[in-house]
Amino acid sequence: MIVGTAGHIDHGKTALVKALTGIDADRLEEEKRRGITIDLGFAHMELPAGNGETLRLGFVDVPGHERFVRNMLAGVGGIDLVLLVIAADESIKPQTREHFDILQLLGVTRGITVLTKSDAVDAETLDVVRMEVEEFLRGTFLESPRSPIVAVSSLTGAGLDDLKHAMVESAAQVQPRDSRALARLPIDRVFTMKGFGTVVTGTLVAGTIHREDELEVFPTRLRVRVRGIQVHGQASDSAMAGQRTALNLAGASTEDLSRGMTLAPVATLVATRRLDVSLRLLSSAPHPLKPRTRVHFHSNTMETVAEIAFHSVKQILPGEETFARLKLASPALLLPGDRFIIRQFSPVLTVGGGVVLDAAPIAGFKKVSADTLLNLSVAGNAEDILASRVARRGSRGLSLEQAVAETGWQRQRIVSCLDSKLKRGLILKFGDLLLDSGAMLEMSTAVPQLLAEFHKKNPLTPGIGKEALRERLKLQTDVFGAVLDSLVRQKKIQVDADLVRLPGHGVVMKDEEAESKKKIEEAFFAAGLKVPALHEVLAGLKVDKARAEKIVTLLLRERILLKISHELVFHRSALDELRGLIAGQKAKATRMDVATFKELTGVSRKYAIPLLEYLDREHVTKRVGDARQIL
Ligand SMILES: Nc1nc2c(ncn2[C@@H]2O[C@H](COP(=O)(O)OP(=O)(O)OP(=O)(O)O)[C@@H](O)[C@H]2O)c(=O)[nH]1
Ligand SMILES: [Mg+2]
């Protein structure tokens, strides 16, 4: 269990941690000199858990000074239990309130209120402070008696046993973190250790890390290897979610790493600059929050600047909660369920916070409904969350890889979560791509509609090319193939080689078009190998150029005309005759030069070369030097 301290400056947080653990968490020289905590401090202890087991406690001691709230924020992210420290001789002060606001916004649900310096006040004052504090905590997660208030003196040791007892009781109620999810270690400290090299520490918020694991640093994407692990100060082969973890890393120096970066398994997660969140503005916030406001954003151990946009409201008032889109100044590795705090720019002050609902908003979708957002994250079970994430991708589908990155769950878990929906056909799987059955159904209606429109607009074209259709629908190849197959089975469309069309639909010609088609065919038939220029033929027709070209395309498609080079088009019968001529020539000689060919066919050089090249392609002849061998 990770225990965090919180409370106003000088109220005795560090002294309390020392009285409990024997460890001075103020490790910096400046801290010792000034007698205040500046940065996070760490300590650990063991307590008998009552059931014969040993309870291991990791402590994160935070600074109370208002200037160091950002350091405090880097420490409270991973805690299970808070000790809200209030000095009996001072009672509630500004950072008591601010820290307490932060704890609530971060969703901390377990805690003990500790009235420190009980030796410095008389019994009557202690009672008054206790009453004030009870009043302050009424209706919150620290309301007594659900959460006890314990008076202690770190000086005399009075009350410490009660506090230990209360901590053991609380430990039994702490929810274990998900150690089967993908591992995430937000870094809170980086340093070098003689003989070891680079070491990072943090509270493992999810998953499990083993020795020799390869990890990726977010957002820099540097890859590192875990050489050694310490958990709560002891060497270990693995670290599990919820533990204070120190990793000795190979592949990175201290300059490559800093607080706020996160370690996770390689090639699984993606850092983001866009978040859809549920956002609450504290009742103590001085102003309403307006769109485009820039704020300090803190989550886990990272901080950056965020710009706010709302999905459905114009602004939010102090005490209100809404859905918002946050645009981060620098990318961060965040997942649904992660909590965050926002602080106003000047004066710097905690004004609100909330929870990430979606860290992978779909590009282009600016406004998202509240229901959609909730379905993507907190509403329902894992199966439904996944189904919502598949459904919102529509016909593009969601790949398993994307599903992992969006949820932070292991691939295996995702696959087994989807099992029943796959079996019932509610979700379809093409390779690694998951598709909502509703999207499939939509596609099945869209394709025939699109074809009907196409036929109407292009009466002289028998159908639409497969690839053109796929691009129009923006479908992935596998999905497109499945849509076509299913429609063909239902006899709603026909697919001939490369062309897709509605059944019974083909070329519809008007009289003048049919007449033109006949004219073109006749012109080429009569010309034999001495074909006319195409544009001349087209110019003599009744139909306009665009339609004339479509008719030619049709003749080519029907293989009545054949195109052998960019400009040259022949009637098929002429080319069949040519083959006959060549076969006859073979009986005389198997070699033939260009001059012989011209003589044989009566065509000029302009036609001879493309025709010979055509014959080469058709394997009727083969080029040998300047001559041809007849095959
Ligand atoms: N008499 C008395 N003095 C205490 C007690 N606990 C702490 N102090 C004194 O209060 C002063 C501040 O204690 P710290 O533990 O440094 O306070 P803190 O809350 O950690 O302060 P920051 O980390 O700077 O916010 C020190 O001089 C302590 O000796 C106590 O129980 N009784
Ligand atoms: Mg301190």
Side-chain angles (χ1 to χ4, degrees):
M1 181 168 77
I2 309 292
V3 183
T5 60
H8 198 69
I9 183 165
D10 252 357
H11 277 200
K13 297 180 288 298
T14 307
L16 178 66
V17 170
K18 182 157 188 205
L20 288 167
T21 66
I23 297 169
D24 183 0
D26 280 349
R27 61 209 150 76
L28 306 174
E29 190 274 327
E30 190 187 353
E31 291 178 324
K32 294 197 200 293
R33 184 162 40 81
R34 292 170 65 184
I36 61 164
T37 304
I38 294 169
D39 203 355
L40 302 174
F42 304 96
H44 49 85
M45 74 184 298
E46 290 184 351
L47 285 175
N51 54 2
E53 285 178 20
T54 304
L55 175 65
R56 293 164 90 191
L57 301 173
F59 285 83
V60 180
D61 181 38
V62 307
H65 196 298
E66 67 166 315
R67 286 213 10 236
F68 306 134
V69 173
R70 49 189 288 243
N71 290 342
M72 179 265 181
L73 284 167
V76 288
I79 68 174
D80 303 304
L81 178 81
V82 63
L83 301 181
L84 181 64
V85 170
I86 302 173
D89 60 346
E90 286 201 343
S91 194
I92 297 154
K93 297 291 246 180
Q95 269 63 54
T96 317
R97 294 178 192 281
E98 185 168 14
H99 284 198
F100 186 55
D101 283 339
I102 288 169
L103 294 166
Q104 288 179 288
L105 290 168
L106 291 181
V108 177
T109 55
R110 292 271 147 210
I112 300 166
T113 308
V114 189
L115 303 181
T116 50
K117 310 196 187 182
S118 65
D119 60 286
V121 296
D122 55 30
E124 211 176 308
T125 315
L126 192 61
D127 276 346
V128 172
V129 171
R130 187 188 285 269
M131 273 158 60
E132 268 177 28
V133 169
E134 274 178 8
E135 183 56 35
F136 172 63
L137 299 174
R138 188 152 301 145
T140 72
F141 79 98
L142 282 183
E143 181 170 43
S144 79
R146 180 183 171 274
S147 289
I149 300 178
V150 184
V152 305
S153 166
S154 303
L155 205 68
T156 67
L160 288 180
D161 283 340
D162 292 344
L163 177 56
K164 287 179 192 167
H165 183 71
M167 287 198 293
V168 172
E169 290 224 314
S170 301
Q173 292 150 5
V174 165
Q175 292 289 321
R177 288 172 190 267
D178 190 357
S179 53
R180 291 166 314 157
L182 288 174
R184 269 196 307 154
L185 183 75
I187 297 174
D188 54 33
R189 226 162 21 124
V190 180
F191 54 92
T192 30
M193 231 163 99
K194 254 210 156 87
F196 284 100
T198 309
V199 176
V200 298
T201 68
T203 303
L204 191 57
V205 293
T208 307
I209 293 177
H210 297 95
R211 215 145 43 111
E212 296 304 322
D213 274 355
E214 207 191 337
L215 300 176
E216 191 169 321
V217 181
F218 288 89
T220 60
R221 314 218 71 170
L222 180 73
R223 293 197 173 188
V224 295
R225 183 171 55 82
V226 179
R227 258 202 304 239
I229 302 179
Q230 276 198 357
V231 170
H232 296 276
Q234 284 171 0
S236 172
D237 281 335
S238 63
M240 269 172 37
Q243 293 180 323
R244 276 300 302 166
T245 306
L247 301 181
N248 175 209
L249 299 178
S253 69
T254 50
E255 289 95 77
D256 299 325
L257 303 163
S258 59
R259 171 178 293 173
M261 292 179 178
T262 303
L263 291 169
V266 293
T268 48
L269 301 177
V270 188
T272 179
R273 280 175 193 272
R274 295 263 187 292
L275 298 171
D276 278 332
V277 303
S278 164
L279 175 67
R280 194 158 81 80
L281 192 60
L282 287 169
S283 349
S284 58
H287 315 287
L289 202 55
K290 298 210 154 50
R292 312 218 53 177
T293 307
R294 284 155 62 82
V295 291
H296 293 290
F297 172 94
H298 299 258
S299 185
N300 292 311
T301 63
M302 61 83 60
E303 62 167 291
T304 182
V305 170
E307 190 182 292
I308 296 170
F310 297 120
H311 286 305
S312 52
V313 297
K314 292 234 160 46
Q315 62 168 16
I316 55 171
L317 301 173
E320 286 182 345
E321 189 167 348
T322 190
F323 297 100
R325 165 80 45 98
L326 303 185
K327 218 160 81 183
L328 306 184
S330 46
L333 181 56
L334 294 163
L335 286 174
D338 281 355
R339 301 277 179 158
F340 64 90
I341 294 293
I342 58 169
R343 307 187 81 211
Q344 79 175 17
F345 264 29
S346 85
V348 179
L349 182 71
T350 302
V351 290
V355 59
V356 174
L357 300 176
D358 184 24
I362 296 191
F365 279 53
K366 291 219 172 59
K367 305 245 181 250
V368 186
S369 80
D371 280 351
T372 310
L373 281 179
L374 292 174
N375 289 338
L376 292 177
S377 52
V378 285
N381 52 24
E383 189 184 350
D384 294 331
I385 288 173
L386 278 172
S388 307
R389 287 186 175 271
V390 172
R392 78 161 164 167
R393 296 276 173 167
S395 57
R396 277 161 306 166
L398 180 77
S399 70
L400 273 176
E401 204 178 28
Q402 287 171 318
V404 168
E406 285 191 10
T407 57
W409 301 338
Q410 304 263 14
R411 194 184 168 98
Q412 200 42 54
R413 176 178 179 204
I414 291 173
V415 173
S416 57
C417 258
L418 288 173
D419 199 48
S420 124
K421 288 216 185 326
L422 284 171
K423 283 205 181 107
R424 283 182 288 154
L426 298 173
I427 290 180
L428 312 166
K429 191 164 172 287
F430 302 100
D432 267 358
L433 194 81
L434 303 165
L435 194 78
D436 182 63
S437 61
M440 184 76 171
L441 205 64
E442 255 172 54
M443 283 299 111
S444 307
T445 339
V447 170
Q449 274 173 8
L450 211 147
L451 287 178
E453 265 169 50
F454 180 87
H455 285 312
K456 207 168 146 201
K457 270 198 211 141
N458 303 280
L460 294 179
T461 317
I464 182 168
K466 261 190 189 173
E467 193 52 27
L469 180 61
R470 191 184 73 78
E471 270 167 24
R472 248 201 238 188
L473 296 165
K474 297 196 179 58
L475 286 186
Q476 208 252 6
T477 318
D478 285 349
V479 178
F480 179 62
V483 171
L484 288 197
D485 285 352
S486 129
L487 287 171
V488 168
R489 271 199 309 276
Q490 297 171 58
K491 301 204 166 32
K492 290 193 175 155
I493 62 167
Q494 278 180 358
V495 181
D496 305 316
D498 183 43
L499 281 189
V500 186
R501 69 170 127 214
L502 288 180
H505 258 267
V507 177
V508 184
M509 277 197 187
K510 299 190 184 121
D511 288 348
E512 67 205 30
E513 287 163 351
E515 188 191 314
S516 300
K517 186 181 175 202
K518 211 167 144 213
K519 269 201 174 155
I520 300 173
E521 187 185 341
E522 278 169 5
F524 280 94
F525 183 77
L529 288 178
K530 291 176 199 136
V531 288
L534 190 56
H535 66 265
E536 278 167 23
V537 179
L538 299 191
L541 298 176
K542 272 188 199 156
V543 298
D544 60 59
K545 187 165 172 258
R547 276 195 294 166
E549 272 165 8
K550 281 209 173 120
I551 294 169
V552 173
T553 309
L554 200 62
L555 284 163
L556 288 170
R557 206 187 285 282
E558 289 171 1
R559 297 188 61 79
I560 292 170
L561 296 187
L562 295 171
K563 196 170 197 164
I564 68 155
S565 77
H566 190 58
E567 298 109 63
L568 285 180
V569 173
F570 293 86
H571 196 280
R572 193 177 58 207
S573 64
L575 291 175
D576 285 345
E577 237 170 73
L578 175 65
R579 281 172 193 256
L581 272 179
I582 302 291
Q585 176 69 15
K586 189 179 174 185
K588 294 183 204 148
T590 57
R591 279 175 83 86
M592 163 178 76
D593 56 17
V594 179
T596 316
F597 181 75
K598 278 163 68 182
E599 216 168 280
L600 190 68
T601 56
V603 300
S604 70
R605 189 175 176 84
K606 196 176 102 191
Y607 289 11
I609 301 299
L611 278 170
L612 279 168
E613 280 167 0
Y614 162 75
L615 291 172
D616 290 345
R617 283 199 303 278
E618 293 285 304
H619 303 292
V620 174
T621 57
K622 185 179 161 197
R623 185 170 176 162
V624 184
D626 276 346
R628 292 301 192 286
Q629 183 179 353
I630 303 172
L631 299 174

Coordinates of all heavy atoms in Angstrom, one line a residue, residues 7-16 26 35-37 61-65 116-120 152-155, ligand 1:
G7 N -1.0 18.2 3.3 CA -1.3 19.2 4.4 C -0.4 20.4 4.3 O 0.6 20.5 3.5
H8 N -0.8 21.4 5.0 CA -0.1 22.7 5.0 C 1.4 22.6 5.4 O 1.8 21.7 6.1 CB -0.9 23.7 5.9 CG -0.6 25.1 5.7 ND1 -1.0 25.8 4.6 CD2 0.1 26.0 6.5 CE1 -0.6 27.0 4.6 NE2 0.1 27.2 5.8
I9 N 2.1 23.6 5.0 CA 3.6 23.7 5.4 C 3.8 23.7 6.9 O 3.0 24.3 7.6 CB 4.2 24.9 4.7 CG1 5.7 25.0 5.0 CG2 3.6 26.2 5.2 CD1 6.5 25.9 4.1
D10 N 4.8 22.9 7.3 CA 5.2 22.9 8.7 C 4.2 22.2 9.6 O 4.3 22.4 10.9 CB 5.4 24.4 9.2 CG 6.9 24.7 9.4 OD1 7.7 23.8 9.2 OD2 7.2 25.8 9.8
H11 N 3.3 21.5 9.1 CA 2.3 20.9 10.0 C 2.8 19.5 10.5 O 2.1 18.9 11.2 CB 0.9 20.8 9.3 CG 0.1 22.0 9.4 ND1 -1.3 22.1 9.3 CD2 0.5 23.3 9.7 CE1 -1.7 23.3 9.4 NE2 -0.6 24.1 9.7
G12 N 4.0 19.2 10.1 CA 4.6 18.0 10.7 C 4.5 16.7 9.9 O 4.5 15.6 10.4
K13 N 4.4 16.8 8.5 CA 4.3 15.7 7.7 C 5.5 14.8 7.7 O 5.5 13.6 7.9 CB 3.9 16.1 6.2 CG 2.6 16.8 6.0 CD 2.4 17.2 4.6 CE 3.2 18.4 4.1 NZ 3.1 19.7 4.9
T14 N 6.7 15.5 7.4 CA 7.9 14.8 7.4 C 8.3 14.2 8.7 O 8.8 13.1 8.8 CB 9.0 15.7 6.9 OG1 8.6 16.3 5.6 CG2 10.3 15.0 6.6
A15 N 8.0 15.0 9.8 CA 8.3 14.5 11.1 C 7.4 13.2 11.4 O 7.9 12.3 12.1 CB 8.0 15.6 12.2
L16 N 6.2 13.2 10.9 CA 5.3 12.1 11.2 C 5.9 10.8 10.4 O 5.9 9.7 11.0 CB 3.9 12.4 10.7 CG 2.9 11.3 10.8 CD1 2.6 10.9 12.3 CD2 1.6 11.6 10.1
D26 N 13.2 14.0 4.0 CA 13.9 15.2 3.4 C 15.3 14.9 3.1 O 16.2 14.8 4.0 CB 13.8 16.4 4.4 CG 12.5 17.1 4.4 OD1 11.6 16.8 3.5 OD2 12.2 17.9 5.3
G35 N 14.7 23.5 6.6 CA 13.7 22.8 7.5 C 12.3 22.7 6.8 O 11.3 22.6 7.5
I36 N 12.3 22.8 5.5 CA 11.0 22.5 4.8 C 11.2 21.5 3.7 O 12.4 21.3 3.3 CB 10.5 23.8 4.1 CG1 11.5 24.4 3.1 CG2 10.1 24.9 5.2 CD1 10.8 25.4 2.1
T37 N 10.1 20.9 3.3 CA 10.2 19.9 2.2 C 10.0 20.7 0.9 O 9.2 21.6 0.8 CB 9.1 18.8 2.4 OG1 9.3 18.2 3.6 CG2 9.3 17.8 1.3
D61 N 6.2 11.4 0.8 CA 6.0 12.6 1.6 C 6.1 13.8 0.7 O 7.0 14.0 -0.1 CB 7.1 12.6 2.7 CG 7.0 13.9 3.6 OD1 5.8 14.2 3.9 OD2 8.0 14.5 3.9
V62 N 5.1 14.7 0.8 CA 5.0 15.8 -0.1 C 5.3 17.1 0.6 O 5.1 17.2 1.8 CB 3.6 15.9 -0.8 CG1 3.3 14.5 -1.4 CG2 2.5 16.3 0.2
P63 N 5.7 18.1 -0.2 CA 5.9 19.5 0.4 C 4.6 20.2 0.6 O 3.6 20.0 -0.1 CB 6.7 20.2 -0.6 CG 6.4 19.5 -1.9 CD 6.0 18.1 -1.6
G64 N 4.5 21.0 1.7 CA 3.3 21.7 2.0 C 3.3 23.2 1.4 O 2.3 23.8 1.3
H65 N 4.5 23.6 1.1 CA 4.7 25.0 0.7 C 3.8 25.3 -0.6 O 3.9 24.5 -1.5 CB 6.1 25.3 0.4 CG 6.5 26.7 0.3 ND1 6.0 27.6 -0.7 CD2 7.3 27.5 1.0 CE1 6.4 28.8 -0.5 NE2 7.3 28.8 0.5
T116 N -1.5 16.5 14.2 CA -0.2 16.4 14.7 C 0.1 17.5 15.7 O -0.7 18.4 15.9 CB 0.9 16.6 13.5 OG1 0.5 17.8 12.8 CG2 0.9 15.4 12.6
K117 N 1.2 17.4 16.4 CA 1.7 18.3 17.4 C 0.7 18.4 18.6 O 0.4 19.4 19.1 CB 1.9 19.7 16.8 CG 2.8 19.7 15.6 CD 3.3 21.1 15.2 CE 4.0 21.2 13.9 NZ 4.6 22.4 13.5
S118 N 0.1 17.2 18.9 CA -0.9 17.2 20.0 C -0.2 17.6 21.3 O -0.9 18.0 22.2 CB -1.5 15.8 20.1 OG -0.5 14.8 20.5
D119 N 1.1 17.4 21.4 CA 1.8 17.8 22.6 C 1.9 19.3 22.8 O 2.1 19.8 23.9 CB 3.2 17.2 22.6 CG 4.0 17.8 21.4 OD1 3.7 17.3 20.2 OD2 4.9 18.6 21.6
A120 N 1.6 20.0 21.7 CA 1.8 21.5 21.7 C 0.5 22.2 22.1 O 0.5 23.4 22.3 CB 2.3 22.0 20.4
V152 N -1.8 12.8 17.2 CA -0.5 12.2 17.5 C 0.5 13.3 17.9 O 0.3 14.5 17.6 CB 0.1 11.4 16.3 CG1 -0.8 10.3 15.8 CG2 0.5 12.4 15.2
S153 N 1.6 12.9 18.5 CA 2.7 13.7 18.6 C 3.9 13.0 18.1 O 4.3 11.9 18.6 CB 2.9 14.1 20.1 OG 4.2 14.7 20.2
S154 N 4.6 13.5 17.1 CA 5.8 12.9 16.6 C 6.9 13.1 17.6 O 7.9 12.3 17.5 CB 6.2 13.5 15.2 OG 5.1 13.4 14.3
L155 N 6.8 14.1 18.4 CA 7.8 14.4 19.4 C 7.8 13.3 20.5 O 8.8 12.7 20.9 CB 7.5 15.8 20.0 CG 8.7 16.5 20.6 CD1 9.7 16.9 19.5 CD2 8.2 17.8 21.3
Ligands
LIG1 N1 6.0 19.9 19.2 C1 6.0 19.2 18.0 N2 6.6 19.7 17.0 C2 6.5 19.0 15.8 C3 5.8 17.8 15.7 N3 5.8 17.4 14.4 C4 6.6 18.3 13.8 N4 7.0 19.2 14.6 C5 7.9 20.3 14.2 O1 7.3 21.1 13.2 C6 8.2 21.6 12.3 C7 7.8 21.2 10.9 O2 7.8 19.8 10.8 P1 7.9 19.1 9.4 O3 7.7 17.7 9.6 O4 9.1 19.5 8.7 O5 6.7 19.7 8.7 P2 6.2 19.4 7.2 O6 4.7 19.3 7.2 O7 6.9 18.3 6.7 O8 6.6 20.7 6.4 P3 6.7 20.9 4.8 O9 7.2 19.6 4.3 O10 7.7 22.0 4.5 O11 5.4 21.2 4.3 C8 9.6 21.0 12.7 O12 10.3 21.9 13.4 C9 9.2 19.8 13.6 O13 10.2 19.5 14.6 C10 5.1 17.4 16.9 O14 4.3 16.4 16.9 N5 5.2 18.1 18.0

